[in-house]
Amino acid sequence: MKPIPISAEQSPLLFLELLYKLRVRDVMVRDLVTIRRDASMRDLQRLLQTRRVSGVPVVEDKRLYGIISIEDLIQALEANRMDEPVSQFMATQVITVDEDMPLSIGLSTCNKYEYRRFPVLNARKETVGIVTARSINTRLLMELFKELGRIENEGVQTPVQSDSCSFNSFRISPSDFENAGKAATEIKTMLQQRGVEPKMIRRVAIAAYELEMNLVVHSDGGTLTFRADEGEIQLISNDQGPGIEDVNLAMQEGWTTANEWVRSLGFGAGMGLPNAKRVSDEFHITSEIGAGTTVTIRNILAVRPDHKPSS
Amino acid sequence: MKLPALFDATQAEVLWIAPDPNKIDVQHVISSDLMSDVLMMDLEHPLLLTSLVSDQSLRTAHVVEAAAVLIANDKTPPPQMVQLAAELQIPLARTALSKFDAAVVLGKALAR
């Protein structure tokens, strides 16, 4: 059985800590879609359609006047009043949250009401953002992944697979040829489940496999960490030594320090790092003798046509 | 060319195959014992011809989305390798031909 990543007594604290550490401004959407009071309901209809949101704050010169949603639009449609201004339909009693509020307090405010979006005001009462369940969830997940990354350094693996994010971390033992390649296989499966385009899956799988084989062949043991969200895929290979003497040399095709035994297994041809770089949009390597090597790879995902912006 | 036809041409013994092998079309062959080199090739669903009998042949095949793995030089993969082929859904066969002879046969078959 896999070890539990966080002690059961500690885990609620981890979540609570995040709720207190993060502020409303950390989880709000800053790219605000707004409308003016004098805009017509027909304008609102077009705005909701083009920006694919279900409601917007009514704002002029950063000042918040109200909030209007698709429900108000339906009312206007039914009453055949689409040419009337937004100000006739908007809700003026708007529940707002302050950008400085700890997330815990912001959440309890949001939970008291049945609304789906809450405009965020700064100290000068200017509208600076909006929070929705989605924006909060996404950010909380990201923060949890960071925490998991920290825990992973202590040698514990905790895979996460959700719509917005995938995360997994693999402990790779030196010379463990029996299990070599398993991490790359699992990463490939997670990407397939995410519905990533096949060519990109292949690129990431190749990079993951090369990094994994490098850890098996050359390192004193390390971790391969995988993270994917809607925008990018990241692989981080991190080992505890021995370190590469000359990184530039290691990046040259065909240059290798692998022994015959490793070559008899089909690897050690000196193509690993150059090939991993070939299939990556961004490639960084740092290494220090005695300390270890870290390789970070990023691949940027093209926005899919069916991609829905957050509301 | 259909995968079963290529296996026939090399007189291969099939160790694991997908339920509907005639749906697998092969246009390219990679012949190599060096998995690092296989990972460098950009070919659509190649058949991997190799005399490397290890899980790494299958894992590499899986990563590059190979259509199948054909083991040459009359080598016999151990049972756990056949099991891994089924797990990864990669057709696996072996042939008594040398890697060179198998490559010649496959090349002629694909050129037809």
Side-chain angles (χ1 to χ4, degrees):
Chain A
M1 207 179 102
K2 281 184 180 172
I4 296 167
I6 319 159
S7 94
E9 284 168 9
Q10 292 272 312
S11 57
L13 288 178
L14 182 70
F15 289 88
L16 276 181
E17 214 174 273
L18 279 178
L19 290 180
Y20 286 110
K21 192 180 82 181
L22 293 176
R23 296 189 179 267
V24 166
R25 77 161 72 85
D26 298 322
V27 301
M28 70 185 183
V29 175
R30 287 162 194 274
D31 181 19
L32 260 188
V33 183
T34 64
I35 195 158
R36 294 174 60 88
R37 282 172 296 172
D38 56 6
S40 71
M41 292 305 278
R42 213 172 291 283
D43 293 335
L44 175 72
Q45 183 192 357
R46 275 191 287 268
L47 185 70
L48 297 187
Q49 277 169 343
T50 53
R51 300 299 294 263
R52 300 176 84 161
V53 291
S54 54
V56 293
V58 183
V59 175
E60 284 170 41
D61 293 331
K62 293 185 181 165
R63 198 184 142 187
L64 181 70
Y65 288 95
I67 196 157
I68 191 152
S69 73
I70 200 155
E71 285 86 7
D72 304 310
L73 183 74
I74 290 165
Q75 270 193 13
L77 254 176
E78 277 175 354
N80 204 14
R81 293 167 61 192
M82 291 295 282
D83 292 316
E84 290 185 26
V86 161
S87 56
Q88 293 291 313
F89 292 90
M90 68 186 189
T92 50
Q93 299 293 313
V94 184
I95 307 302
T96 62
V97 286
D98 295 341
E99 65 162 359
D100 285 324
M101 268 184 189
L103 185 56
S104 54
I105 297 175
L107 273 180
S108 62
T109 305
C110 296
N111 275 337
K112 272 189 233 153
Y113 305 93
E114 281 186 358
Y115 303 126
R116 275 181 290 174
R117 57 188 70 76
F118 299 85
V120 181
L121 305 181
N122 66 11
R124 292 189 298 278
K125 300 290 169 202
E126 293 167 340
T127 317
V128 288
I130 195 158
V131 288
T132 62
R134 185 191 164 102
S135 73
I136 294 170
N137 284 335
T138 306
R139 184 56 197 240
L140 274 179
L141 270 174
M142 302 289 279
E143 289 296 322
L144 277 176
F145 289 143
K146 269 195 213 157
E147 279 300 305
L148 288 168
R150 190 180 58 74
I151 290 160
E152 162 260 313
N153 281 333
E154 291 158 17
V156 186
Q157 307 168 9
T158 316
V160 174
Q161 179 80 307
S162 79
D163 278 354
S164 51
C165 266
S166 303
F167 174 92
N168 209 345
S169 185
F170 305 88
R171 182 101 205 138
I172 314 288
S173 306
S175 303
D176 181 8
F177 284 95
E178 200 176 317
N179 289 305
K182 278 191 181 168
T185 305
E186 275 194 50
I187 288 170
K188 187 177 168 180
T189 307
M190 286 180 101
L191 289 173
Q192 281 167 335
Q193 284 166 359
R194 287 190 71 76
V196 173
E197 190 236 341
K199 271 198 178 134
M200 178 58 85
I201 292 180
R202 194 181 136 112
R203 280 162 57 102
V204 176
I206 288 174
Y209 196 32
E210 294 282 18
L211 293 181
E212 187 179 2
M213 287 313 292
N214 272 348
L215 286 172
V216 172
V217 171
H218 298 292
S219 84
D220 302 335
T223 52
L224 180 63
T225 307
F226 156 79
R227 210 188 68 77
D229 60 26
E230 289 164 349
E232 64 170 48
I233 301 168
Q234 202 179 51
L235 289 169
I236 301 171
S237 151
N238 191 5
D239 67 44
Q240 287 86 54
I244 302 170
E245 205 170 295
D246 186 336
V247 171
N248 287 331
L249 213 51
M251 290 305 299
Q252 271 177 33
E253 294 189 3
W255 190 86
T256 181
T257 55
N259 57 29
E260 280 307 309
W261 177 69
V262 167
R263 289 187 208 209
S264 73
L265 289 159
F267 285 87
M271 303 304 278
L273 286 175
N275 197 27
K277 188 177 180 182
R278 182 181 68 91
V279 293
S280 309
D281 291 337
E282 282 178 31
F283 180 98
H284 297 286
I285 179 165
T286 55
S287 189
E288 199 183 318
I289 291 290
T293 304
T294 301
V295 181
T296 309
I297 283 175
R298 280 177 78 216
N299 274 322
I300 312 298
L301 292 170
V303 179
R304 290 201 298 270
D306 61 347
H307 178 84
K308 288 193 184 98
S310 53
S311 55
Chain B
M1 196 168 191
K2 304 293 176 222
L3 181 63
L6 290 175
F7 280 167
D8 284 348
T10 48
Q11 298 149 46
E13 178 194 346
V14 176
L15 302 168
W16 185 85
I17 195 139
D20 207 348
N22 275 313
K23 276 193 179 157
I24 304 172
D25 191 51
V26 178
Q27 296 297 332
H28 309 281
V29 175
I30 296 177
S31 172
S32 180
D33 296 342
L34 212 43
M35 296 304 112
S36 313
D37 284 352
V38 176
L39 290 169
M40 293 287 285
M41 309 249 192
D42 272 323
L43 294 171
E44 290 281 307
H45 306 298
L47 179 123
L48 174 58
L49 173 63
T50 184
S51 50
L52 179 69
V53 182
S54 88
D55 286 1
Q56 299 315 318
S57 324
L58 285 168
R59 298 227 178 253
T60 305
H62 182 244
V63 163
V64 302
E65 287 172 348
V69 173
L70 178 58
I71 306 287
N73 291 349
D74 208 13
K75 290 186 179 178
T76 305
Q80 96 261 4
M81 199 175 150
V82 179
Q83 209 180 317
L84 183 63
E87 203 178 295
L88 298 176
Q89 302 272 298
I90 296 173
L92 178 68
R94 60 178 289 275
T95 174
L97 298 179
S98 73
K99 205 161 61 131
F100 176 81
D101 287 339
V104 169
V105 170
L106 288 173
K108 282 183 178 165
L110 283 175
R112 245 184 261 141

